């Protein structure tokens, strides 16, 4: 298409099913205005925000406040996820029906790893009766312990406490069995290991109603990046081996992975400049996710598949209708410039997190225009 002299490729506006926007309570890291503007600049028309805020989003009034505020801003649409358990303490289920009525898009205790099996079973049964999906940050807290990076030869060489691959696969195995038992829709967030991915592949073959997502950082970075002791690379689950990253890419190709989610996790620069032991976990990526994935993997996956992972795949996970560009549909669309090369320049980010592990990397596939409900939510250069 050509618009006002600029060309591009029109796709449905991207759907982000996993972002930490930090409001309420941690606005020094991010807020709705900065996070949703950043999302629109990344080509996203819709964002599912995580509830590990302060206070936790376990109260219908907070869901309503977030949705109302986001609607006034006019950037990407916000669909808040609500906590599965009160205070994300993993003990007592939140008021899921009231949270759904208030507009919650899904339930999750992401950021915590502490739902016990009984609570997850009850939560899945309750959410399923409401036709809602539960998503899990699948890491066994006791195996993960105080690990700050992947447990392996690099953590041993650096003398840093490790978080083993088995902390993920053990929890994914458990959660698959609970999904099998309850027949309820379970979504596994940010898979990082070949072993856990394989468990999901087999569960899907068995007909367990499970979906999963993979993040750009687990596909493009590895534990080798921690050798410089730079806490920018500290994230949970941690960056793994190149074999894990290759396995995740195969999972995108063969349909095991349903969607790409960013796990956009903004923190302040001073927090991320601390040492590896004390810096917080998380990598911000909402403004670079599509161009990064396009530049690195369009040859392997093809444009159609890549766009599906950022749009219909994410919609399927959420139980939403597939986005469409049919006449009469709400104009949620993004124009991508697949040709122009541009380096990642964190100082220009709309996000408050103005740093990036991909800073300086030259990428293609940058969004130039994002329309949300027919209104311009982002226009490059404007
Ligand atoms: O790296 C992470 N950052 N993993 C999480 O589970 C939470 C997230 C955050 O909230 O910063
Ligand atoms: Zn998580
Ligand atoms: Zn997360």
């Amino acid at each position: 298409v050509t618009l006002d002299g600029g060309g591009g490729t029109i796709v449905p506006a991207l759907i982000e099913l996993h972002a930490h926007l930090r409001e309420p309570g941690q606005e020094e890291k991010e807020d709705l205005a900065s996070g949703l503007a950043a999302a629109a600049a990344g080509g996203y028309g819709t964002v599912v925000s995580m509830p590990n805020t302060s206070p936790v989003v376990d109260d219908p009034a907070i869901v309503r406040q977030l949705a109302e505020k986001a609607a006034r801003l006019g950037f990407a649409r916000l669909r808040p996820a609500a906590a599965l358990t009160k205070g994300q303490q993993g003990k007592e289920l939140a008021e899921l029906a009231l949270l759904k009525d208030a507009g919650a898009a899904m339930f999750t205790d992401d950021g915590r790893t502490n739902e016990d099996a009984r609570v997850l079973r009850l939560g899945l049964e309750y959410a399923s009766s409401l036709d809602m999906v539960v998503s899990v940050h699948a890491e066994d807290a006791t195996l993960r312990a105080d690990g700050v990076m992947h447990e392996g030869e690099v953590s041993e060489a650096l003398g840093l406490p490790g978080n083993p691959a088995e902390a993920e696969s053990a929890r994914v195995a458990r959660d698959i069995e609970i999904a099998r038992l309850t027949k309820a829709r379970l979504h596994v967030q940010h898979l990082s290991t070949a072993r856990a991915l394989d468990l999901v592949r087999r569960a899907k073959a068995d007909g367990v109603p499970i979906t999963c997502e993979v993040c750009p950082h687990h596909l493009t970075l590895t534990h080798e990046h921690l050798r410089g002791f730079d806490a920018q690379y500290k994230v949970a689950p941690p960056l793994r081996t190149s074999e894990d990253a290759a396995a995740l890419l195969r999972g995108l190709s063969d349909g095991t992975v349903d969607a790409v989610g960013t796990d956009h996790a903004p923190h302040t620069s001073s927090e991320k400049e601390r040492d590896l032991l004390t810096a917080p976990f998380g990598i911000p990526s909402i403004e670079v996710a599509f161009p990064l994935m396009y530049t690195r993997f369009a040859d392997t996956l093809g444009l159609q598949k890549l766009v599906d992972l950022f749009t219909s795949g994410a919609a399927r996970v959420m139980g939403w209708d597939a986005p469409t560009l049919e006449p009469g549909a709400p104009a949620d669309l993004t124009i991508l410039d697949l040709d122009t090369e541009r380096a990642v320049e964190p100082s220009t980010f709309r996000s408050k997190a103005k740093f990036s592990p991909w800073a300086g990397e030259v990428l293609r596939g940058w969004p130039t225009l994002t329309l949300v409900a027919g209104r311009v939510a982002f226009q490059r250069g404007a």
Side-chain angles (χ1 to χ4, degrees), residues 11 14 42 44 216 285-295 303 306-307 310 336 338 364-367:
V11 298
L14 310 183
Y44 292 95
S285 60
I286 206 162
E287 278 168 273
V288 300
F290 187 86
L292 177 66
M293 292 290 296
Y294 179 77
T295 306
L303 178 62
L306 203 53
V307 170
F310 278 86
L336 302 170
L338 299 180
R364 289 173 290 121
W366 293 94

Side-chain angles (χ1 to χ4, degrees), residues 101-135:
D101 287 347
M106 62 145 94
F107 304 113
T108 182
D109 281 356
D110 182 46
R112 307 286 176 97
T113 53
N114 56 359
E115 319 98 345
D116 71 35
R118 187 189 66 90
V119 170
L120 182 59
R121 175 188 183 170
L122 294 173
L124 277 168
E125 287 170 347
Y126 188 0
S128 176
S129 74
L130 301 169
D131 204 20
M132 295 275 280
V133 63
V134 171
S135 83

Side-chain angles (χ1 to χ4, degrees), residues 256-267:
T256 304
V257 177
D258 297 271
V260 170
T262 67
D263 199 8
H264 175 72
H267 296 288

Side-chain angles (χ1 to χ4, degrees), residues 318-337:
M318 297 300 299
W320 299 340
D321 291 340
T324 172
L325 294 173
E326 292 298 309
D332 280 27
L333 60 84
T334 295
I335 302 182
L336 302 170
D337 175 353

